[in-house]
Amino acid sequence: MSKVNLHDLKARIEAANVYALAKRTPCELAPKLSLEVERNIWLKREDMQDVFSFKIRGATNRIAGLTDEERTRGVCAASAGNHAQGVAAAGAYYNTAAVIFMPVTTPAIKVTAVERHGAETRLVGDNYDEACKAALDYAEETGAVFIHPFDETDVIAGQGTVGREIMEQMPRTPAAVYICTGGGGLVSGVGTWIKSVSPNTRIIAVEPEGAPTLTTSLKEGTPTPLEKVDSFADGVAVKLIGTNTLEIAKQVVDEVILVSNDEICAAVKDVFEATRTVVEPAGALALAGLIKHAREGKAPDGDCVVTISGANVNFDRIGHMVERAELGAGEEMLFAAAIPERPGAFLNFCNAMGRRPVTEFNYRYAESETAHVLVGIKTRDLEERAKVISDMASHDITVTDLSRDRLAKRHLRHMVGGRASADIPEVLYRFEFPERPGALTDFLIALDARWNISLFHYRNHGNSTGHVLCGFQVPKGDVDALEESLAKTGYPMAVETGSKAYEYFLRA
């Protein structure tokens, strides 16, 4: 496969027609963050676009370049968020009919935002891939022009204007630019421009640990689909990177960083404290990468720019991000402690905690010689977690750090107490449900009725995917038959029976 011509792409960026709708967003110094990481951090504020995302640039440039005949046929796209709004807004501006295919799980606020621009929305399937197939079928049937969210040259060139603005706005040549990465349109366009004018500036792509699209494809050398995609940072939750964007990334990206969801939430908090703006998870992804890089001593000295790529966040997701932000920043520790069931033990435990503020304390008597308590406490940083464990050990209290335990963070700390019967074996699974009407009913119908559900916990975070914890009693120990039944549901699942959190607080 021949490589994309970067000289041609740079010329396309220079000629990109985006400013009929896109703004020249500011590149702002973040003084408090700069002090904390001991280098200048600049925020490229694409959240300040009228559609609250950089996606308006690529969509505008692509539709601006259509012929009169193509505009007459109209355009279509598949997206659950920012690209949809960009295409809808550009279609309205250029008097081009737009039909946007969105998954059924798309939150109503995003559907309404697209329709507000005059586009028609069609809700199809549980995920982007199903909506995209419907959009492509529609394009073939009607002749409408399909606008790809990231893998078309004109879209990439439109996103590349972000890089051009950065280099025009910065008072000095940046040492590095950190860029949120999903399908690769932004990192390809920005990287192309910056490398062409400043080859020594490092281009650092940042991806979520649960959606390492670029990382996986770079390792394999070709676009490689992910088996599973964590949709938490939905703006970059892409299963397969583009063919063009991967070839460009190979030439312009110096390094890729993976960050956890908790680190992303911590960066959302940092952006809020710097700007008083609540951005979406993908909007804070690049900053999370820089902070992690700096913490590990790997960030380059000098000025570092991060893309704040979008602020299309559902209000009901904010609470979840706040909850996880302190864990990601090391400002909260969640742990299980084993305490003897005897008078005075609780006072000894409190003395071991010292004067650290307690964020939560969960305990239920279980008629044994040892009590297990689930505790959250305020900490100064990640390093203090080790000090907590040593302080507890000096009081003969055994502690297990659950700050990174998914079951504990997502479910256990929000559940009521109780244990199943010790006489009947129980197994525990974690599932991901599409957030659409009937998903739970479909799940129960697919199950064989002989399995008794002994535990069920579900939380809605305003995301397209719901997270469910489910326990089953297996009186005859036939786990293989149970898992064969569970596989029929079609929902992704993971075994949690061996989890320490389950052992401490839920197992009989």
Side-chain angles (χ1 to χ4, degrees):
M1 183 189 302
S2 62
K3 292 186 176 181
V4 176
N5 187 314
L6 297 190
H7 293 292
D8 174 67
L9 182 55
K10 178 179 182 286
R12 285 174 176 265
I13 295 170
E14 195 164 16
N17 186 354
V18 302
Y19 295 111
L21 288 169
K23 296 178 180 177
R24 286 178 59 88
T25 56
C27 196
E28 302 173 341
L29 181 67
K32 180 175 177 290
L33 278 171
S34 299
L35 285 172
E36 290 173 359
V37 301
E38 299 179 337
R39 53 186 47 78
N40 289 334
I41 296 182
W42 299 80
L43 310 179
K44 180 57 174 167
R45 298 288 307 279
E46 285 299 288
D47 59 293
M48 296 177 69
Q49 296 289 356
D50 288 343
V51 298
F52 309 105
S53 161
F54 74 93
K55 289 286 191 175
I56 188 64
R57 296 174 183 266
T60 299
N61 190 51
R62 177 72 174 92
I63 294 177
L66 295 178
T67 65
D68 290 341
E69 188 271 334
E70 287 174 326
R71 291 183 188 176
T72 301
R73 301 201 316 254
V75 298
C76 66
S79 170
N82 297 338
H83 178 61
Q85 291 189 58
V87 171
Y93 182 84
Y94 288 104
N95 197 28
T96 304
V99 180
I100 310 298
F101 290 79
M102 311 178 83
V104 175
T105 55
T106 305
I109 188 174
K110 295 185 177 182
V111 177
T112 301
V114 171
E115 293 174 343
R116 191 180 299 124
H117 291 291
E120 178 186 347
T121 58
R122 298 189 184 184
L123 304 184
V124 179
D126 288 336
N127 52 51
Y128 169 79
D129 290 337
E130 293 176 12
C132 186
K133 182 182 184 305
L136 290 170
D137 289 344
Y138 174 82
E140 184 174 349
E141 293 167 5
T142 66
V145 178
F146 178 74
I147 309 295
H148 198 282
F150 49 79
D151 205 34
E152 296 184 14
T153 307
D154 286 340
V155 172
I156 296 169
Q159 321 304 26
T161 58
V162 173
R164 183 178 183 183
E165 289 177 16
I166 287 172
M167 298 308 289
E168 291 171 351
Q169 293 167 326
M170 285 292 292
R172 293 168 297 279
T173 300
V177 179
Y178 291 74
I179 305 167
C180 65
T181 303
L186 184 63
V187 74
S188 299
V190 172
T192 295
W193 184 270
I194 290 179
K195 283 296 187 182
S196 70
V197 299
S198 179
N200 293 328
T201 295
R202 292 179 61 76
I203 299 298
I204 301 176
V206 186
E207 296 185 295
E209 291 176 347
T213 317
L214 176 58
T215 301
T216 302
S217 294
L218 284 175
K219 181 179 179 181
E220 298 297 327
T222 187
T224 304
L226 301 177
E227 293 183 4
K228 181 173 182 266
V229 177
D230 184 342
S231 63
F232 175 74
D234 51 353
V236 291
V238 175
K239 185 176 183 179
L240 179 65
I241 198 167
T243 300
N244 292 324
T245 54
L246 177 62
E247 287 304 310
I248 299 168
K250 287 178 180 178
Q251 300 174 69
V252 303
V253 173
D254 295 292
E255 185 176 355
V256 185
I257 301 173
L258 300 179
V259 295
S260 69
N261 290 348
D262 288 352
E263 288 168 331
I264 294 170
C265 290
V268 170
K269 178 184 176 184
D270 288 329
V271 174
F272 175 78
E273 291 183 347
T275 67
R276 296 301 186 267
T277 299
V278 179
V279 299
E280 62 188 278
L285 182 61
L287 179 59
L290 170 54
I291 292 173
K292 180 174 184 176
H293 228 195
R295 185 182 295 137
E296 295 174 346
K298 298 177 181 178
D301 294 329
D303 295 272
C304 294
V305 180
V306 299
T307 56
I308 305 300
S309 59
N312 284 303
V313 61
N314 300 339
F315 185 78
D316 49 3
R317 296 195 72 191
I318 296 173
H320 177 57
M321 292 192 295
V322 170
E323 174 188 300
R324 300 288 285 269
E326 292 190 337
L327 285 169
E331 295 173 0
E332 185 187 25
M333 178 182 182
L334 187 68
F335 65 90
I339 304 174
E341 281 282 15
R342 64 168 183 259
F346 182 58
L347 177 60
N348 181 52
F349 174 77
C350 291
N351 288 333
M353 282 198 299
R355 302 190 64 82
R356 297 182 177 96
V358 176
T359 57
E360 65 179 284
F361 191 100
N362 301 288
Y363 163 67
R364 187 174 188 274
Y365 180 64
E367 297 187 63
S368 74
E369 296 180 356
T370 302
H372 288 104
V373 294
L374 181 67
V375 185
I377 60 172
K378 291 278 189 182
T379 51
R380 290 186 299 273
D381 49 40
L382 292 168
E383 287 70 29
E384 191 178 353
R385 290 176 181 172
K387 182 70 165 55
V388 170
I389 294 174
S390 64
D391 287 350
M392 291 290 175
S394 68
H395 285 72
D396 296 322
I397 298 170
T398 302
V399 164
T400 300
D401 188 355
L402 298 178
S403 302
R404 296 184 180 275
D405 187 284
R406 183 178 302 192
L407 187 151
K409 293 184 295 184
R410 184 171 284 166
H411 295 286
L412 189 60
R413 69 190 303 183
H414 303 285
M415 292 175 63
V416 295
R419 297 173 188 260
S421 169
D423 299 327
I424 305 176
E426 181 186 52
V427 288
L428 194 69
Y429 297 88
R430 171 169 43 83
F431 295 89
E432 293 183 2
F433 279 33
E435 288 285 10
R436 58 166 170 77
L440 174 57
T441 302
D442 293 344
F443 172 76
L444 296 175
I445 290 173
L447 284 179
D448 189 319
R450 73 179 185 269
W451 308 111
N452 181 52
I453 295 177
S454 53
L455 178 153
F456 193 89
H457 183 251
Y458 160 77
R459 292 192 74 209
N460 183 328
H461 302 307
N463 197 2
S464 61
T465 302
H467 299 281
V468 175
L469 186 67
C470 200
F472 299 89
Q473 291 181 321
V474 283
K476 297 181 181 179
D478 196 354
V479 176
D480 289 341
L482 170 63
E483 293 191 349
E484 182 179 344
S485 177
L486 294 176
K488 296 176 183 177
T489 67
Y491 297 146
M493 70 177 187
V495 181
E496 289 285 6
T497 312
S499 164
K500 283 291 185 184
Y502 173 63
E503 179 181 336
Y504 289 150
F505 299 104
L506 300 173
R507 187 191 293 274

